[in-house]
PDB file of all heavy atoms in Angstrom:
ATOM      1  N   ILE A1507      23.603 -15.775  80.840  1.00  0.00           N
ATOM      2  CA  ILE A1507      22.847 -15.991  79.609  1.00  0.00           C
ATOM      3  C   ILE A1507      23.448 -15.092  78.535  1.00  0.00           C
ATOM      4  O   ILE A1507      23.577 -13.882  78.718  1.00  0.00           O
ATOM      5  CB  ILE A1507      21.353 -15.665  79.803  1.00  0.00           C
ATOM      6  CG1 ILE A1507      20.774 -16.488  80.955  1.00  0.00           C
ATOM      7  CG2 ILE A1507      20.573 -15.872  78.516  1.00  0.00           C
ATOM      8  CD1 ILE A1507      20.843 -17.990  80.742  1.00  0.00           C
ATOM      9  N   PRO A1509      23.932 -14.540  73.948  1.00  0.00           N
ATOM     10  CA  PRO A1509      23.364 -14.909  72.638  1.00  0.00           C
ATOM     11  C   PRO A1509      23.986 -16.203  72.120  1.00  0.00           C
ATOM     12  O   PRO A1509      25.186 -16.447  72.282  1.00  0.00           O
ATOM     13  CB  PRO A1509      23.746 -13.733  71.738  1.00  0.00           C
ATOM     14  CG  PRO A1509      23.987 -12.597  72.677  1.00  0.00           C
ATOM     15  CD  PRO A1509      24.523 -13.207  73.934  1.00  0.00           C
ATOM     16  N   GLN A1543      47.047  -6.758  74.574  1.00  0.00           N
ATOM     17  CA  GLN A1543      47.564  -8.001  73.989  1.00  0.00           C
ATOM     18  C   GLN A1543      47.775  -9.048  75.076  1.00  0.00           C
ATOM     19  O   GLN A1543      47.465 -10.228  74.888  1.00  0.00           O
ATOM     20  CB  GLN A1543      48.877  -7.742  73.256  1.00  0.00           C
ATOM     21  CG  GLN A1543      48.727  -6.970  71.981  1.00  0.00           C
ATOM     22  CD  GLN A1543      50.070  -6.599  71.364  1.00  0.00           C
ATOM     23  OE1 GLN A1543      51.095  -6.570  72.035  1.00  0.00           O
ATOM     24  NE2 GLN A1543      50.047  -6.312  70.081  1.00  0.00           N
TER      25      GLN A1543
END
Side-chain angles (χ1 to χ4, degrees):
I1507 304 299
Q1543 289 174 339

